[in-house]
Amino acid sequence: MTRFGNKNNRDAVRKAWMGTGAILKKMENEKGIVARFVIGKSANPGDNMDRGIDIENRQSNDFIILDDLVEGTEDLPKKARLFFTYAAERWDAEFYAKVNDNIYVTIDALGTALAAHFDKPRAYIGCMKSGQVYSEPSHKWYEPDWWKFGDKKSYFRHASGEMYVISRALAKFVSINRSILRTYAHDDVSAGSWFLGLDVLHVDEGKFCCSSWTSGAICSGV
């Protein structure tokens, strides 16, 4: 997941683990991993921000541009939903991963970790957490629907938004039901809510805790 003004992040990711051109294609062909930057459109279609992404994409050919999304922090839950929909309809993959553009991924470690879950048809894998629900409008993490989470104001268990993975069946579920899936203030909470009523295996994988890097970790923050 990327946004306007984050070209330095994207270039760092390309250099660190994603690659460009032949290297990117080699990762797809040999490891079966497709990596793309995901971004929406400007609120002013065709402006300098849109044109800048179009120029960058012509050079790198590594974007998914979501035409139905106006890029903005408040639309991150919708962005995640549209991404899984787009990816599930375009690629028949075993797993679909959401990663922020300030996260470095160890591709081989990711492949090894996911291989252990090929036999689990409905897996939701990540650094699981709960967290406080904030009801004050002035708070940075304000949740407009705070009252839905009970008197203790605690979110249900969900994977941290820095990086998480869902299996093919769950991505297809999001794609099929995208018009009725509820979103909350945060994309990670929203994704977790989509799978609450389903027979889903929640895999709490410490190697996906990107902000607290340890030996053998799959990801780390910039």
Side-chain angles (χ1 to χ4, degrees):
M1 296 293 179
T2 192
R3 58 185 179 180
F4 298 119
N6 279 21
K7 188 175 187 302
N8 287 343
N9 284 22
R10 293 191 292 273
D11 286 341
V13 164
R14 291 180 180 116
K15 183 176 180 180
W17 64 268
M18 185 169 147
T20 58
I23 296 175
L24 182 63
K25 183 58 67 175
K26 183 178 180 181
M27 183 169 69
E28 296 178 17
N29 294 336
E30 296 186 2
K31 299 181 183 294
I33 296 176
V34 176
R36 296 290 185 270
F37 292 109
V38 183
I39 196 167
K41 302 288 286 186
S42 169
N44 301 300
D47 65 5
N48 287 337
M49 291 189 292
D50 275 350
R51 288 196 296 272
I53 294 297
D54 289 339
I55 292 170
E56 187 179 344
N57 193 33
R58 283 197 294 270
Q59 296 169 343
S60 61
N61 194 30
D62 58 5
F63 278 86
I64 293 173
I65 299 175
L66 302 171
D67 293 330
D68 295 332
L69 176 78
V70 175
E71 187 65 37
T73 304
E74 67 277 5
D75 287 324
L76 290 179
K78 180 181 178 182
K79 186 175 185 177
R81 187 176 61 194
L82 288 173
F83 159 65
F84 286 124
T85 297
Y86 180 98
E89 292 178 352
R90 178 156 184 175
W91 291 288
D92 186 26
E94 294 288 344
F95 298 100
Y96 300 81
K98 180 262 180 181
V99 186
N100 289 341
D101 70 357
N102 61 347
I103 297 299
Y104 289 173
V105 178
T106 304
I107 291 296
D108 289 341
L110 173 62
T112 299
L114 295 182
H117 301 292
F118 279 157
D119 61 337
K120 304 174 180 69
R122 295 176 300 279
Y124 172 38
I125 310 166
C127 181
M128 296 293 169
K129 62 177 186 175
S130 294
Q132 183 177 348
V133 178
Y134 293 97
S135 58
E136 301 80 18
S138 60
H139 197 280
K140 178 181 180 181
W141 305 116
Y142 171 58
E143 172 59 72
D145 286 318
W146 58 268
W147 60 275
K148 293 182 179 179
F149 295 92
D151 295 336
K152 292 186 178 180
K153 295 183 182 178
S154 179
Y155 285 119
F156 41 76
R157 210 71 171 158
H158 61 278
S160 171
E162 293 175 316
M163 179 180 185
Y164 60 87
V165 176
I166 62 175
S167 59
R168 177 194 294 131
L170 297 185
K172 295 290 187 184
F173 171 82
V174 173
S175 176
I176 293 169
N177 297 284
R178 58 186 179 273
S179 63
I180 59 173
L181 290 177
R182 181 75 171 82
T183 58
Y184 293 96
H186 313 298
D187 65 295
D188 52 359
V189 172
S190 298
S193 75
W194 302 335
F195 311 131
L196 272 182
L198 306 180
D199 183 13
V200 171
L201 176 65
H202 286 61
V203 180
D204 186 9
E205 177 54 80
K207 293 179 180 179
F208 281 77
C209 297
C210 308
S211 59
S212 55
W213 189 90
T214 57
S215 178
I218 290 168
C219 58
S220 61
V222 175

